Amino acid sequence: MNETTQVVTITLNGKQLELPVQTNLLEYLRWQGIDVPSLCFHSDLGPIETCDACIIEVNGELVRSCSTQLKEGDVVKTGTSEAFEAQMIAMDRVLHNHELYCTVCDFNNGNCTVHNTVKQLKIDHQATHQSPKGAPVNRGKFYRYDPDQCILCGRCVQACQNVQVNETLMIDWTLERPRVLWDGKDGNPIDDSSCVNCGHCSTVCPCNAMMEVGMEGEAGFLTGMLKDAFRPAVDVTKAVETGYTPLMAISDIEAEMRQDRIKKTKTVCTYCGVGCSFEVWTKGRDILKVEPSPESPANQISTCVKGKFGWDFVNSGERLTKPLIREGDEFREGTWEEAYELITSKFAETIKTRGPERLAFITSSKCTNEESYLMQKLARAVVGTNNVDNCSRYCQSPATMGLWRTVGYGGDSGSITDIASAELIIGIGTNTAEAHPVIATRVKSAQKLRGSKLLVSDIRKHELAERADMFIRPNPASDLVWLNAVTKYIIDNNWHDKAFIDQHVNNYSEFVNSLEKYTLDYAVEHTGLTKEELINVATMIHEAKTTVIMWAMGITQQRGGSDASTAISNLLLVTGNYMKPGAGAYPLRGHNNVQGASDMGSMPDHLPGYQKLTNEGVIEKFNNAWGVELNTQKGQNNHQMVDAMHSGELDILYLKGEDMGIVDSNVNHVRAGFEKLKFMVVQDIFFSKTCEYADVVLPASPSFEKTGTFSNTERRIQRLYQVLEPLEGSKPDWVIIQEIANHLGAGWNYSDPSQIMDEIAALTPIYAGVSYDRLEGFNSLQWPVNADGTDTPLLFTDGFPFDDKKAILFPVDWTPPTEYAEEYDIHVNNGRLLEHFHEGNMTYKVAGLTSETPETFLEVSHELAAERRIEDGTLVRLQSPYGKVDVKALVTDRVYGKEVYLPMNDSGDAAINLLSSSIADKNTSTPAYKETKAKLIILERGGKSPLPKSNFRYGSPVPQYGVNIQQKWARPDYAFPGDIVKERRGGK
C-alpha cells in the first residue's frame, strides 16, 4: 500500500486497479458497472451484513462485499459459480420472510429492492416458501410495520439506532421468528413507544414491510381493493402468475403505468432552518408520502415528523380562498380586483398626503427568496420607504450582529457536515433535538459512532443535555459571563492559538484587557456555575482539535443577545476555531428561510446581500437597475413599527406570512398598536390571529403550491418545485406582490420566479452565480456564490471579509437580565416542541401531530410542584406585568427550581407572548423573550395530564449499535452461505 496516497492495488476479474484504501468494495464494484446484488446495504447506512446477498470471491474466499476491507494485492472475482450459489442461498432465506405479490403491492413503484433483486438474479422459484411470523401488523398513525413482509435486513434499525439515534427499534434475534420491535424485548405499539415518527425507517425499508400509511390502497391500480378482498386478490395473482418471471414482468408493466398516476416532485421543507429536501409523491391533491434521498444535500435520508408527515394542512378546509374585506367588525368576501383597488387607493393616498414613511412592510421567513426580494423592492422602489423587516428580528438578528462584528459574514461558518465532523460540539441555548431535529441526528450520531464530545449549556435539560458528555446549567441570561470567563482562562493558561491570532485576528490586546474582570470568581458569582465546571469547559475546548458552537434563541433573546453572540465568536477566534473544517460558529436559523429573508434585504438598513444603504456605489447600482431614486434613510424595524403605531407615526402595515399578533413579544401591546393603524393588509394561507386586526386579508399559497428558492441555516440555496396547483382562489405570494406593485404603476413583468432570481444575482454579490439551472434537481449552492457558479461551503478559507482579511476580537460587557418585582418569582422559559411548529398554525391542521400534543402545557419542576402542591393536569395561571396565561401543568425533571418551560405552540389562552415584555436586545431590538418572569397562581387542582401517555416522551428507548448482527450469526439456525457452498463442494 502507498502510505502517502492511501491507495491499494488489487486485481479485479483479472484487471489490475488502484483505488483508495477506504473504498467500499460493493459501491466500487457497482461504480465499475458490475451488478452485485444487495438488500441490506444502503449508502447512508453502511454495511449491515444481514442479507448475505452481496457475496463475492476475494483471494479464493467467499465474503460479503459490503464489509470487506481491501488490502494490497487482493484478488477479487465476481460472478463465479460459487458466489452465485451463495447469493441464491441468501435470497432463498430472504424470500422465506417475504411474500411476493408485486402487482397488488403499494410498494411496486420501481424502487422495491426485493423485487429488483429477484429480477436481477432471475429467480423463478424458491426452495423455502414464505411463512408468516405469527405477529400482527404494528400500525401507527403515520406508518405501519408488516412483520410477514419483513426480510430482517435491519435497515430500519440501523437508521433508527445510528442515523436518527432515537434508539427505538431493534430486531429480537432470540425469537423463533425474529422481527422488528419498538422499545425493547416485549415490544410496544408504534404509537405507544418512544418513536418520534421521523420516518427514517419507512424511507430506507427496501420493500413494503415498513411503509407510510398514506401509500396504502393509493399507489397502484389494484391496491385500493377492500380489505376483505385483498387476500383473495393475492392468491389469484399468484395462481395466474406462475413463477416469479411472469410475476416480475406483469408487475413491471403495472409499475410503469403508475408513473402517470403518481407525481413525484422535489421540494424543500417549509418548517425549520435545516433545509431538508425530498420528493413528494402525490395523486391529485392526495399526498401519498415524502421521500428524502441520499442526494438531498442537507439531510440525505433524514427527516423529522413534520417534514415527513406534517403536510395535511395544505388541503385543510380552513385554507383562505377568497380575499376578505372588513366592513365594520365583520369581514365579507371580495374579489381580487376589489381588494387590489382598495389596497392601492389607501397606499397611494397615504403616500401622497402623509409620505411613504407612513407605510411599513413585513415579509415572511416562510416565503421564498424571490418573494422576500419583491416585498422589499415594493417597499423601496415603489412606495419609497425602508420600513421593511422580517421575523429574524425575533430570533436571529443578534447572532448576525455578533458575527458581523467579528468575522464579517452573518451566517454559519460551514455546513452541517462540519458540525458532524467536529471533535467537540457545543450547544448553547439551543434545544436542537426539537427545534432542528435533523441537525441533532448528526450530533447524536457523531457522539455515538465517532466519539465526538458534546457539551451543552442550557437552563433546561432537553434531550441533547441528557446525552451530553458535560451539561452545565447557568443562571438565565448569564451566558456572556461564563463565555468571557472561559475565554480569559484559556488565554491566562496560554491555551489560545497564538499563531492563528497573529496571522488572522486584529484587536487582541484591547480584547484581553476587556476580559480583566471576568475571573472565575466573578463567573461563579453571576452564573451559578462552579469553578470546576468552568475549568472543565475550558479544558474540553483546549483538548479538542476542532470545535463548533451552535446556538439559538436561548442566547439571542436576551437584552444582551448580540453581545453574548459576539462572545461566542470571540471564543472561537481565540482558540483558532475558524477557517478549517469541523469548526466555527453555527447560529441555527429557526425558520426554513429566515436566512434567505435577510439575504434578500428584508431589513431597514440593508439592501439585498447585506449591502448598506449608506454605500453610494450600492445605491447607484440599485437606482440604475430599478429606475428610481432610492430613499437612503434607515427605516423602522418591526419593534420600532409597533412603537410608531402607538405614537401615531405609522398608518399602514402590509404583512405577509407572519402571525405578528401572536409571535411578537408583549402581544397585548402589539394588538393595541394594530387597532391604531388606519389600514392593515395581511397575506396568509389561514385566518391567523393577526388577520383579526386586518382591513384586507389576501389568500396566499404555501410552498407546495409554488416554485422558488429557500436558503437554509448553512447558507444553502435550494430550489423548490410546485407540487400542487394553487388551491382555487389563492395565489403565490410573488404573484400577489407583483399585482399590487403594478396597480401602483410599477410595470413589473416577471412571468416566473427564475427571472426574479436572475435579477437578484445581478445585484447581489453573494448570490452572483446563482441561477435556476445551477440549482436543478437536488443541486444546491452555499453563498457566497461567485459569478462562475463556484460556491463556498466553508467560509473564511483565505481570510475574513474585511479590508485586511483579518477578523476582529470585539470586546463586550455583560448586560444583567431584566429585574422584576419580588412577587414575580417564576422564570418563564419558552421554546419549541418537536411535533409542532411555533404557534401551530400549520401543524394543528395535521391530525396525527395534534394527537401527539393536543394542547400546550407548562413544564414544572419537582421542587416547585412539591412546594405548591402541583400535579400533572393542575390548571395554573402565570401572571406577568404584561398579561396572563392559563395552562395545565406537567411535572418533569427537565426544569429545575423556579424555572418553568412554556412551549410556544399555542395561540390562545396559553400563548407565551401574553406574558413577555417589550424589552429588547439593546443592539438589534430583538425581544428579550427569555427574560420573562411571572407569579404562579393555582386555579384548579387535579385534572387530566395535558400530555397523552402515548406521547413519545414516555417511551423507553433501547440503545444499541445498529442491528447487533453478532446475535443473528450466533443463532443455531444460521450458517454463512459461503460456508454452506464450501461444504457442498467438499471444502474446495
Side-chain angles (χ1 to χ4, degrees), residues 268-269 271-276 298 396 399-400 403 410-417 419 432 435-436 438-439 549-552 585-596 599 610 710-718 782-783 793 795 832:
V268 181
C269 188
Y271 286 110
C272 81
V274 175
C276 295
Q396 289 299 329
T400 301
L403 295 175
D412 285 4
S413 300
S415 306
I416 294 169
T417 53
I419 297 174
T432 318
H436 302 88
V438 169
I439 290 179
I549 300 181
M550 312 179 300
W551 74 102
Y586 294 82
L588 302 181
R589 305 310 197 186
H591 288 207
N592 58 298
N593 205 39
V594 71
Q595 181 71 60
D599 293 348
Y610 308 100
F710 290 152
S711 300
N712 77 344
T713 189
E714 51 178 357
R715 302 170 285 105
R716 186 182 300 280
I717 309 157
Q718 301 180 84
Q782 290 172 266
W783 65 253
L795 281 178
R832 295 183 184 150

Side-chain angles (χ1 to χ4, degrees), residues 909-969:
D909 292 341
I912 175 61
N913 289 318
L914 293 167
L915 296 176
S916 55
S917 72
S918 296
I919 297 167
D921 172 52
K922 57 189 176 62
N923 297 111
T924 63
S925 297
T926 294
Y929 295 97
K930 298 299 188 287
E931 297 184 15
T932 299
K933 300 192 76 172
K935 55 186 175 183
L936 188 147
I937 303 162
I938 307 294
L939 297 181
E940 186 178 318
R941 299 192 184 275
K944 183 180 178 183
S945 173
L947 192 66
K949 290 300 179 183
S950 59
N951 186 277
F952 69 86
R953 293 170 178 83
Y954 293 111
S956 302
V958 282
Q960 61 183 44
Y961 288 96
V963 298
N964 280 350
I965 187 61
Q966 290 79 11
Q967 291 184 9
K968 174 183 178 176
W969 295 341

Side-chain angles (χ1 to χ4, degrees), residues 502-647:
D502 289 345
Q503 187 174 354
H504 297 295
V505 183
N506 284 324
N507 208 34
Y508 176 71
S509 297
E510 182 184 342
F511 174 71
V512 171
N513 292 336
S514 76
L515 296 177
E516 184 178 354
K517 78 176 183 181
Y518 290 97
T519 62
L520 294 183
D521 288 333
Y522 182 87
V524 168
E525 177 186 356
H526 293 289
T527 67
L529 300 174
T530 65
K531 281 188 180 181
E532 182 182 16
E533 287 176 314
L534 293 164
I535 292 170
N536 285 343
V537 169
T539 302
M540 288 180 75
I541 296 170
H542 168 59
E543 292 178 348
K545 292 179 181 176
T546 58
T547 296
V548 302
I549 300 181
M550 312 179 300
W551 74 102
M553 295 182 290
I555 283 284
T556 60
Q557 292 174 344
Q558 307 172 11
R559 285 202 300 156
S562 292
D563 290 343
S565 298
T566 305
I568 289 172
S569 191
N570 286 335
L571 173 58
L572 291 166
L573 287 171
V574 163
T575 53
N577 276 296
Y578 277 111
M579 298 183 69
K580 59 185 178 182
Y586 294 82
L588 302 181
R589 305 310 197 186
H591 288 207
N592 58 298
N593 205 39
V594 71
Q595 181 71 60
S598 296
D599 293 348
M600 293 302 104
S602 306
M603 53 186 66
D605 52 352
H606 287 85
L607 287 156
Y610 308 100
Q611 299 173 87
K612 295 180 180 179
L613 282 170
T614 54
N615 186 312
E616 292 182 3
V618 167
I619 293 298
E620 183 180 0
K621 176 176 65 173
F622 279 88
N623 284 346
N624 292 335
W626 290 349
V628 298
E629 290 293 325
L630 286 177
N631 176 359
T632 59
Q633 179 182 342
K634 180 180 177 181
Q636 298 167 349
N637 62 43
N638 51 21
H639 184 83
Q640 293 163 338
M641 291 174 194
V642 175
D643 291 340
M645 294 174 201
H646 282 280
S647 65

Side-chain angles (χ1 to χ4, degrees), residues 588-828:
L588 302 181
R589 305 310 197 186
H591 288 207
N592 58 298
N593 205 39
V594 71
Q595 181 71 60
S598 296
D599 293 348
M600 293 302 104
S602 306
M603 53 186 66
D605 52 352
H606 287 85
L607 287 156
Y610 308 100
Q611 299 173 87
K612 295 180 180 179
L613 282 170
T614 54
N615 186 312
E616 292 182 3
V618 167
I619 293 298
E620 183 180 0
K621 176 176 65 173
F622 279 88
N623 284 346
N624 292 335
W626 290 349
V628 298
E629 290 293 325
L630 286 177
N631 176 359
T632 59
Q633 179 182 342
K634 180 180 177 181
Q636 298 167 349
N637 62 43
N638 51 21
H639 184 83
Q640 293 163 338
M641 291 174 194
V642 175
D643 291 340
M645 294 174 201
H646 282 280
S647 65
E649 296 174 5
L650 189 66
D651 295 338
I652 293 178
L653 179 66
Y654 177 13
L655 178 153
K656 74 174 173 71
E658 188 68 47
D659 199 358
M660 190 174 174
I662 199 69
V663 302
D664 205 345
S665 194
N666 195 2
V667 288
N668 287 323
H669 180 67
V670 172
R671 294 169 188 173
F674 289 163
E675 291 176 342
K676 294 180 179 180
L677 288 168
K678 290 182 169 52
F679 190 70
M680 183 173 173
V681 181
V682 176
Q683 192 166 302
D684 216 321
I685 61 174
F686 294 112
F687 192 84
S688 66
K689 190 72 179 177
T690 305
C691 290
E692 296 177 14
Y693 299 87
D695 294 284
V696 177
V697 177
L698 301 176
S701 302
S703 62
F704 270 24
E705 295 174 4
K706 55 191 172 186
T707 61
T709 60
F710 290 152
S711 300
N712 77 344
T713 189
E714 51 178 357
R715 302 170 285 105
R716 186 182 300 280
I717 309 157
Q718 301 180 84
R719 277 184 72 175
L720 52 143
Y721 295 78
Q722 184 175 303
V723 177
L724 305 169
E725 287 296 317
L727 196 64
E728 187 176 357
S730 70
K731 298 183 181 185
D733 293 89
W734 72 270
V735 172
I736 300 172
I737 298 166
Q738 175 166 248
E739 290 176 347
I740 289 174
N742 286 342
H743 273 75
L744 288 166
W748 296 353
N749 59 355
Y750 305 107
S751 60
D752 186 84
S754 63
Q755 297 169 336
I756 306 171
M757 179 52 73
D758 290 342
E759 183 175 317
I760 293 167
L763 293 171
T764 311
I766 63 172
Y767 276 66
V770 178
S771 70
Y772 275 33
D773 287 344
R774 286 176 174 150
L775 298 176
E776 184 71 29
F778 284 96
N779 293 333
S780 67
L781 295 166
Q782 290 172 266
W783 65 253
V785 184
N786 297 321
D788 63 1
T790 56
D791 67 341
T792 316
L794 183 68
L795 281 178
F796 318 126
T797 53
D798 61 348
F800 298 88
F802 297 109
D803 290 342
D804 62 359
K805 291 198 169 186
K806 286 191 173 185
I808 302 167
L809 284 166
F810 192 99
V812 285
D813 203 4
W814 181 45
T815 302
T818 306
E819 292 187 6
Y820 284 73
E822 189 175 348
E823 62 182 308
Y824 302 108
D825 61 336
I826 304 296
H827 182 264
V828 186

Side-chain angles (χ1 to χ4, degrees), residues 58-71:
V58 177
N59 301 329
E61 295 292 326
L62 294 177
V63 298
R64 301 178 186 93
S65 59
C66 68
S67 58
T68 295
Q69 181 68 50
L70 291 169
K71 304 184 299 298

Side-chain angles (χ1 to χ4, degrees), residues 845-863:
K845 309 296 190 298
V846 181
L849 296 178
T850 301
S851 68
E852 277 289 312
T853 316
E855 58 182 315
T856 197
F857 50 83
L858 182 73
E859 288 188 350
V860 175
S861 71
H862 289 284
E863 299 87 352

Side-chain angles (χ1 to χ4, degrees), residues 432-458:
T432 318
E434 299 197 67
H436 302 88
V438 169
I439 290 179
T441 68
R442 304 309 189 247
V443 173
K444 293 186 288 184
S445 184
Q447 183 193 36
K448 182 175 184 177
L449 302 184
R450 285 202 315 104
S452 295
K453 297 298 183 184
L454 176 60
L455 167 62
V456 171
S457 171
D458 213 304

